[in-house]
Amino acid sequence: MASTEPAHHYHFDITMTCGGCSGAVERVLKKTEGLASYAVNLEAQTADVYTDAVPFAAVLEKIKKTGKTVRGAEADGEGMGV
C-alpha cells in the first residue's frame, strides 16, 4: 500500500512581524504549483511545506521573493543553508 504522506517536509524559520508578513508568505505558497499542503505560523515565525514534487530551493526562492528574511531552514529534518 502506497503512503499518502508527501515525500518531503520543508521547515522555514522566517522573520514575520505582522499579519501582512505572514499573508505575503501564504500568498506565494498558495500560488506554488505542486505543494501538497503548507502551514504558516505568524506567532512561531515559521512555515512548513509538504510536497512530493517541488524542490527545496524552489520553495526557498519563492519565500525570499516576499522580501522576508529566512533565518534558517530544514529539508526532511536536515539543516539547509539559506
Side-chain angles (χ1 to χ4, degrees):
M1 187 169 156
S3 171
T4 57
E5 290 289 312
H8 302 290
H9 170 213
Y10 308 144
H11 177 81
F12 299 93
D13 184 9
I14 308 165
T15 301
M16 298 183 286
T17 56
C18 66
C21 295
S22 60
V25 174
E26 285 201 36
R27 280 191 298 280
V28 297
L29 293 176
K30 184 176 184 177
K31 292 179 186 174
T32 303
E33 299 265 331
L35 299 184
S37 65
Y38 60 87
V40 178
N41 184 324
L42 173 58
E43 193 172 298
Q45 297 190 36
T46 61
D48 288 282
V49 176
Y50 302 89
T51 182
D52 287 321
V54 183
F56 170 83
V59 178
L60 176 62
E61 205 50 44
K62 296 265 187 189
I63 293 172
K64 283 185 169 183
K65 283 186 179 175
T66 66
K68 306 297 158 227
T69 301
V70 179
R71 297 182 300 237
E74 292 180 359
D76 303 322
E78 299 275 328
M80 301 294 284
V82 292

